[in-house]
Amino acid sequence: MWKTIIGLLVLFPVCLSGQNENLQQISKEEPLFQEGNKLTAVKIIAENEKQLTVRLSYEGFQGKSFMVKGEVLDRGRRKMGNIPAIEKNLIEGSQQAELSFTIDNQAGKGKSSLSLSYLKLSISKKEGLLGDLGIALDNYSYLYRLNRTREINGKLVNVTPLPLPSAARLNVPTARFSLQDVKGQQITTKIAVDTSKQKPQGPKLELEFLQQLNIDPQLQLADLVPNLSCKIYADQNPESGFYYYLPTAYNLSWSKEKDYGLFIHFLKANGQENPKVAVTAKLQPNLSRRDLQLIELLLRRELKGALKGKFKKLVSLPLAGTPQILLDQLANFGVKASDMNLQLPVDLLDPMTISWTMENVEDLQASLVNQVGLSGNIKVKPAGDIAEKLLTINIKLDDPRTLGHLELDKQDWRKESWANPTPFPIVLKRLHLLVLEGTPQDARPVIYSWKLNNTKVSPRDSVRFFGRRVPTALDRLPNVAKVWLEYSVRACPTCDVWNILPSPQSQVHPIEFTIMNPLSFSGAEMMKIKLRTVQSAKGGSRKTQLPTLTVKSDGITLAAGQLLVPNNKEPEFEYFIQLLEEDGKVRSASRWVISTETDVAIGSHQLKQLFPALGKK
């Protein structure tokens, strides 16, 4: 008969960790009559970009011929074709075996990186007629955790930008100035002026002014600068010169350095059926501080023209009341409105966070990687007489609104190749330059555009722009405020989207103290337990104080907060005990106690170790 041992080693994407790393065991399943056969350890003993070597330690498996087979799987638990499976006989009398996997970094078509998400280990024992027929009667399963990815080298794509009609007639500006040099109409206060007449009184009237931004007539403004589609309101007091902005949309945050702003934390330990998780989405407004500079310039031009007003300051629109989340799609995943929480910043240029608790997070993950995602609204009530507004929210991985503007260095974009920073294949549609014409006192913003022939660029591919149809004099002018690419995202069935997807990064471990008899034993009136840890919700490498426990009686159990434990770590915190006498005298323990157990008992035994005087009782 065949006896098979299967081990699944979970891998999440991080940098190379080095040699001699023992893998943390998550769970195991063994038959009732296992005959002493088991895996005892799995260790990474060598690795580089093209090879990964593991050493298996085991007990038993003696006296017969055994073979171990190792297969590297992706995050969808599919065999990775660019990493061949390894088979090796176990030598009788030995208790270790090594497997070396060769990684072909060029074989990941359409991918920016390879996610070595699982390692499947099978050990088979051939015995008797059933074994000859390949029938497995017993199964052993071991689950370990590991963190590995491999980057994939891309190719170089050549592109020649071709001007649209307006760009073909472009004249290089003669006056040299930048967006920061543009001066607006300021309100000055003199002794004879009644400053109370200039006091802002809050928002009132919504304005329309973006017609001042000149673009090629073939294009739509919303396609070029979606970040500028915010709402602007004038103050109730025209003399104040105050104006207010409100972003119209918030999108899932993403950056090449920090990846997606989507975080998943387990609320129950592994091994429980349908564990609850906390999901937090960080959403960025469709507006940046540099966008506000351009909006301010446009607003000043409008105030000099049709609006005939004064300008002093552009500020965030104040809100009144509690915002309401309208994300009905989450109901499909069993999430109730009462399970959702919204944190809206005071400054609307800062990110907001939406969090909720749910079960079956795999269903949500599958939705995110299949070009679906989540969309909805947030209902807000601005201060003053302005009616309620709906802000759009977008939680989607492969969306230009999430990935944002792909900017180029305005001085070096034609000299150096540009690499696709996104995890998806994109189609380059146009190159745009925002140029300030005129003078600093009367600056006129114009967007000039060049076609890029719908060039497809895969993840990690690089683009070399032959910009002979773009005047080189623009590279040296401060008048060029921004250079960016207009693009779309292509569906990619072959992409390793599971590698893109955020994984559960930590587990929440509640701390609990069982109070036995410390008060009656010590004669103290009260006991204080101070706690500190680096595994707090604040994160970082510094220790954070958790709330102090106050114990007034024996024989009770107290909850002492929670630890947020990374997947590759064990729970760890410290506690410190103080005994308070009836007269107010405080006796402190001799040291902080380090605990890796989240269930802690405090009784006479512990007090004798921490209070030397009590040890003599």
Side-chain angles (χ1 to χ4, degrees), residues 20 27 52 108 137 169 182 186 220 278 305 384 388 432 497 543 555 608:
N20 298 321
S27 64
L52 176 69
L137 299 180
R169 299 187 297 269
V182 177
Q186 300 294 324
Q220 297 292 323
E388 288 183 331
H432 301 295
V497 290
K543 294 178 181 178
K608 289 179 181 179

Side-chain angles (χ1 to χ4, degrees), residues 213-261:
L213 184 56
N214 296 325
I215 64 173
D216 194 283
Q218 297 183 18
L219 306 179
Q220 297 292 323
L221 182 62
D223 295 332
L224 301 189
V225 283
N227 292 19
L228 300 188
S229 59
C230 67
K231 296 185 180 297
I232 302 295
Y233 300 87
D235 193 84
Q236 298 180 48
N237 179 12
E239 294 297 317
S240 70
F242 269 66
Y243 294 85
Y244 306 85
Y245 66 85
L246 175 67
T248 57
Y250 283 78
N251 306 300
L252 179 65
S253 66
W254 176 86
S255 69
K256 180 182 177 182
E257 295 76 21
K258 298 182 180 180
D259 216 340
Y260 288 97

Side-chain angles (χ1 to χ4, degrees), residues 534-565:
V534 296
Q535 296 174 343
S536 69
K538 295 182 178 180
S541 58
R542 295 186 177 183
K543 294 178 181 178
T544 300
Q545 298 284 343
L546 299 179
T548 299
L549 296 180
T550 300
V551 181
K552 298 182 178 180
S553 62
D554 290 334
I556 60 173
T557 299
L558 297 175
Q562 296 178 331
L563 301 178
L564 205 58
V565 183

Side-chain angles (χ1 to χ4, degrees), residues 39-105:
L39 288 177
T40 57
V42 179
K43 176 187 290 187
I44 299 293
I45 60 170
E47 66 173 319
N48 54 46
E49 286 294 334
K50 296 186 176 181
Q51 194 170 56
L52 176 69
T53 302
V54 299
R55 176 180 294 157
L56 317 179
S57 299
Y58 55 88
E59 296 177 359
F61 306 115
Q62 301 298 318
K64 297 289 182 180
S65 176
F66 292 90
M67 175 175 286
V68 59
K69 179 180 180 181
E71 297 175 284
V72 177
L73 311 180
D74 63 16
R75 291 185 64 180
R77 301 193 180 187
R78 301 175 296 265
K79 183 181 180 302
M80 301 184 70
N82 53 330
I83 305 180
I86 301 295
E87 292 185 351
K88 190 171 186 179
N89 290 320
L90 298 183
I91 301 175
E92 185 173 355
S94 176
Q95 294 184 329
Q96 291 185 335
E98 294 182 6
L99 301 178
S100 292
F101 298 92
T102 301
I103 304 166
D104 181 2
N105 290 346

Side-chain angles (χ1 to χ4, degrees), residues 186 240-244 296 299 310-315:
Q186 300 294 324
S240 70
F242 269 66
Y243 294 85
Y244 306 85
E296 184 176 316
L299 180 57
K310 296 181 178 181
F311 178 86
K312 183 176 182 180
K313 198 170 186 180
L314 182 62
V315 297

Side-chain angles (χ1 to χ4, degrees), residues 485-558:
L485 300 171
E486 181 188 349
Y487 67 99
S488 61
V489 181
R490 291 190 60 170
C492 183
T494 63
C495 285
D496 187 6
V497 290
W498 288 98
N499 179 39
I500 300 166
L501 188 70
S503 304
Q505 299 160 332
S506 62
Q507 300 182 40
V508 176
H509 291 254
I511 305 173
E512 191 172 84
F513 277 83
T514 301
I515 308 301
M516 308 299 289
N517 64 338
L519 297 183
S520 60
F521 174 74
S522 64
E525 183 71 18
M526 190 181 302
M527 181 172 67
K528 296 277 189 180
I529 305 176
K530 298 181 178 180
L531 302 100
R532 65 187 186 189
T533 182
V534 296
Q535 296 174 343
S536 69
K538 295 182 178 180
S541 58
R542 295 186 177 183
K543 294 178 181 178
T544 300
Q545 298 284 343
L546 299 179
T548 299
L549 296 180
T550 300
V551 181
K552 298 182 178 180
S553 62
D554 290 334
I556 60 173
T557 299
L558 297 175

Side-chain angles (χ1 to χ4, degrees), residues 332-333 358-370:
N332 299 330
F333 303 99
M358 65 182 302
E359 297 178 355
N360 299 318
V361 71
E362 294 83 3
D363 295 338
L364 174 64
Q365 292 174 317
S367 171
L368 291 173
V369 300
N370 287 310

